[in-house]
Amino acid sequence: MRKVIGGLFMSVDGVVQAPGGPDEDRSGGFAYGGWAAGYSDQTTDAFIAEHIEGAEYDLLLGRRTYDIFADYWPRHLVNPIGERFDRITKYVVTSRPDTLGWRRSQPLVGNPVRTAAALRNSEGPDLLIQGSSQLYPALFGAGLIDRLFLTVMPIILGAGKRVLTGDAASATGLRLVDHRVSDTGVVMSVYDRSGPVRTGDFTN
């Protein structure tokens, strides 16, 4: 069975919308696209390289993120991430399977939970989700995300798409397996699922 790894750039108040550029996702009138760009440094780059560039995986993407990636990364193959994304398999949750033009792209048509669960239970590399905010709620609710790679920027945005709030979060315990803090205040954490939420009180 493959692991499903959720990779998220996030503000302190949980916003994940459009971290990479002003025009990445303006839906809902979002005006702060590109909010993550100013916090990257050697520490964040090294941590991402260690846990993402250095691992074997395929991509699992929603259609909006796929279109953004397909427009950008094939034109930036000198970047190690671009070279990696171009050569690995991209599994795309989409209702338009005939319009995937990026090489090694495979459509997932139908119920996202059922198709992702079948893919997770197949043979192959682990599956990395990047962006794809509309894909997370269904997969969280079904318990299909095994690991979270969170890169939290020291910023509060106040509005925008969130994926770790409300019913989508699906109560579960987590175990911290790695973390780092950059000089720019970015907190990078890797969590694995660790079972049910443990409850109690502070009287003992």
Side-chain angles (χ1 to χ4, degrees):
M1 186 176 72
R2 312 188 195 207
K3 288 184 178 179
V4 177
I5 303 166
L8 290 168
F9 290 93
M10 183 181 295
S11 67
V12 170
D13 57 334
V15 175
V16 300
Q17 185 172 354
D23 296 318
E24 187 175 338
D25 181 3
R26 292 185 179 272
S27 61
F30 189 70
Y32 301 109
W35 48 268
Y39 297 98
S40 180
D41 64 5
Q42 289 184 341
T43 302
T44 58
D45 291 347
F47 197 73
I48 290 170
E50 179 180 341
H51 285 279
I52 295 183
E53 293 178 36
E56 290 299 322
Y57 56 81
D58 290 331
L59 284 173
L60 174 58
L61 302 171
R63 185 56 196 255
R64 180 189 290 272
T65 298
Y66 171 83
D67 286 341
I68 292 170
F69 281 15
D71 180 63
Y72 181 83
W73 287 116
R75 296 184 287 109
H76 295 82
L77 298 182
V78 295
N79 185 309
I81 295 178
E83 186 277 330
R84 166 71 68 86
F85 284 1
D86 188 65
R87 65 178 167 82
I88 64 176
T89 303
K90 281 75 68 176
Y91 294 97
V92 188
V93 176
T94 181
S95 60
R96 295 176 284 125
D98 298 330
T99 58
L100 303 180
W102 195 3
R103 74 185 189 108
R104 301 202 65 182
S105 297
Q106 298 291 327
L108 299 179
V109 180
N111 182 282
V113 170
R114 287 198 295 268
T115 56
L119 183 60
R120 180 173 177 258
N121 288 327
S122 67
E123 295 293 327
D126 290 340
L127 299 160
L128 175 67
I129 306 172
Q130 285 290 108
S132 307
S133 61
Q134 293 184 356
L135 187 58
Y136 276 93
L139 300 190
F140 269 121
L144 294 178
I145 295 181
D146 304 287
R147 170 169 285 190
L148 282 174
F149 183 103
L150 301 181
T151 305
V152 181
M153 307 294 175
I155 188 171
I156 293 174
L157 295 171
K161 296 176 181 177
R162 296 170 170 85
V163 297
L164 293 179
T165 58
D167 294 339
S170 183
T172 185
L174 298 173
R175 178 175 64 89
L176 181 68
V177 296
D178 199 1
H179 74 285
R180 210 159 299 167
V181 180
S182 77
D183 291 339
T184 59
V186 178
V187 179
M188 296 149 282
S189 307
V190 181
Y191 296 96
D192 283 348
R193 285 183 179 268
S194 64
V197 174
R198 293 179 293 179
T199 62
D201 58 46
F202 293 100
T203 59
N204 296 327

